[in-house]
Amino acid sequence: MAALQTDLRNLLETTIKRARVIAEDGAARALEALAVGHHEPHGSMSPEERKLRRRLRAHGRQLGDELDRKRGTQTTHRLMREVAYEHWHRMLFARFLAENHLLIHPDHGVAISMEECHDLARETGRDAWAMAASYAEGMLPQIFRVDDPALAVTLPPEARVELQRLLSDLPASVFKADDSLGWTYQFWQASEKDAVNARAKSGEKITGETLPAVTQLFTEPYMVDFLLHNTLGAWHAGKVLNQGDRKGAGSEEELRAKVRLSAAGGYDFEYLRFVREAIEEEEEEAPTGPWRPAAGTFDGWPREAGELKALDPCCGSGHFLVAAFQILARLRMEEEGLSRAKAARAVVADNLFGLELDPRCTQIAAFNLAFTAWRFVGEPIELPPMRIACSGIGPRATREEWLKLAEEAAAAGGMPGKKDLFGSEDTLLSAGVKGGL
């Protein structure tokens, strides 16, 4: 893997921290202009703006913003952060695609660069970054929902210009390193992490809302490779090395060369460790017996790569998933004779699974996996649904809303409660549903 150089990593960190401040300030002003937190719309608002306001308030409540039912006001802190995040990352993802020749013009079906986006924008009177973002959005419907109200918000012009400048000033090489995407959300959360840790030191409890910021740790590429090479790589070595290989090899390097994958340009298990077994009456400190993978050969695993299931239960931005993709895709090409495109689709569909508390991380992980698959193939291809899900979104509703849902469920089941002067009499079904909900 080509990792991001330290100076570029520092530049990316500075840029993203600054982008969050600008995006959140712009999002706050945009939501204020739409009266999202107010008890009623501004008198000057159009019917379309009023409709968007209603959608945004509903979306904010889904995110956890609180509605004061007496006053009609609503907090907008979570919604503001969501709007800021979505706008910045849609632009960021567009540049990742463009710099890797993967941003496709929807009408012509060819890859276009950011320079070409600017040329097209001048001809049509559109904003170049908005155009690029819309192309990325169309390519990634699983990641950017077309009905997402957060993306329907228009940031103030000065915020958009500053975000575009920040993104334009990043060198193209930032977007070509294999671990750049993994750093983007770590840097986006950096200031939040510092603030949460500072409050925790003063005695404030870490809550479900603040937990992700302090527990998301980016795993360096060499750590990921070491773990995968000594699991997937050791399993593969156990299959392909025969007794002669294990007895006659003179070094670990010789064995690593024998288990190297040749498909799609090749893949080396450079961190795969081997040890020699001690033969009878031999000192364990200097064994001379057959070699074996230090981690074992995982004999209880399936024998075919297509049957392996790799789950990262805290997948973050998908760093382990994309590294495992590189190995599994080549394994399946060699074992099943698949093309790059068929192997990419097969691995996404069959082999890789991720869970994450933070819904934004699942979005980045999904993009990261699609981006990796497209780079592996050499062009964007249609991919099956990615098995990456957010496990941290709880249902949010009042007690009254749950009880109303219980009554509707009981009525749909054919056993509505009887109505009398004193209210509703429970049936066996309605009482059970009400209690459960």
Side-chain angles (χ1 to χ4, degrees), residues 235-264:
W235 169 81
H236 172 64
K239 292 205 317 174
V240 301
L241 294 178
N242 57 41
Q243 281 295 106
D245 295 328
R246 295 178 63 229
K247 290 180 178 179
S251 67
E252 290 184 78
E253 289 75 14
E254 185 178 334
L255 289 165
R256 282 192 283 266
K258 289 182 180 293
V259 300
R260 183 181 190 273
L261 300 175
S262 58

Side-chain angles (χ1 to χ4, degrees), residues 11 45 58 79 94 108 112 121 232 281 341 343 355 429:
L11 176 61
M45 289 173 61
L79 180 62
H108 306 300
I112 60 173
L232 286 174
E281 298 182 359
L355 293 173
L429 177 59

Side-chain angles (χ1 to χ4, degrees), residues 337-365:
L338 301 178
S339 65
R340 285 190 184 226
K342 288 183 178 179
R345 293 190 183 99
V347 170
V348 170
D350 303 333
N351 298 115
L352 298 178
F353 300 79
L355 293 173
E356 174 56 50
L357 285 173
D358 190 334
R360 296 172 186 168
C361 275
T362 63
Q363 184 188 51
I364 295 180

Side-chain angles (χ1 to χ4, degrees), residues 180-236:
S180 292
L181 261 172
W183 287 111
T184 56
Y185 195 56
Q186 181 100 348
F187 295 152
W188 182 265
Q189 289 283 71
S191 298
E192 178 73 8
K193 178 180 180 179
D194 293 341
V196 172
N197 282 331
R199 295 197 299 269
K201 287 182 180 178
S202 65
E204 183 177 318
K205 290 184 177 180
I206 293 177
T207 66
E209 179 186 3
T210 57
L211 179 66
V214 294
T215 57
Q216 286 160 349
L217 300 172
F218 181 78
T219 311
E220 292 278 6
Y222 76 90
M223 300 178 187
V224 175
D225 288 344
F226 180 87
L227 291 168
L228 290 175
H229 291 183
N230 289 284
T231 48
L232 286 174
W235 169 81
H236 172 64

Side-chain angles (χ1 to χ4, degrees), residues 21 58 84 114 128 131 138 140 148 152 164 174-175 186 205 230 286 311 315 337 360 370 377 410 434:
V21 172
M114 284 307 306
M131 177 184 291
L140 300 160
D148 188 347
Q164 292 169 5
V174 167
F175 301 92
Q186 181 100 348
K205 290 184 177 180
N230 289 284
L311 167 68
C315 71
R360 296 172 186 168
V377 175
K434 186 183 295 184

Side-chain angles (χ1 to χ4, degrees), residues 263-264 325 328-334 336-347 373 376-377 379 381:
F325 173 92
L328 289 164
R330 289 175 171 85
L331 281 171
R332 297 195 65 172
M333 289 178 71
E334 293 193 4
E336 303 170 46
L338 301 178
S339 65
R340 285 190 184 226
K342 288 183 178 179
R345 293 190 183 99
V347 170
F376 180 79
V377 175
E379 62 178 343
I381 60 171

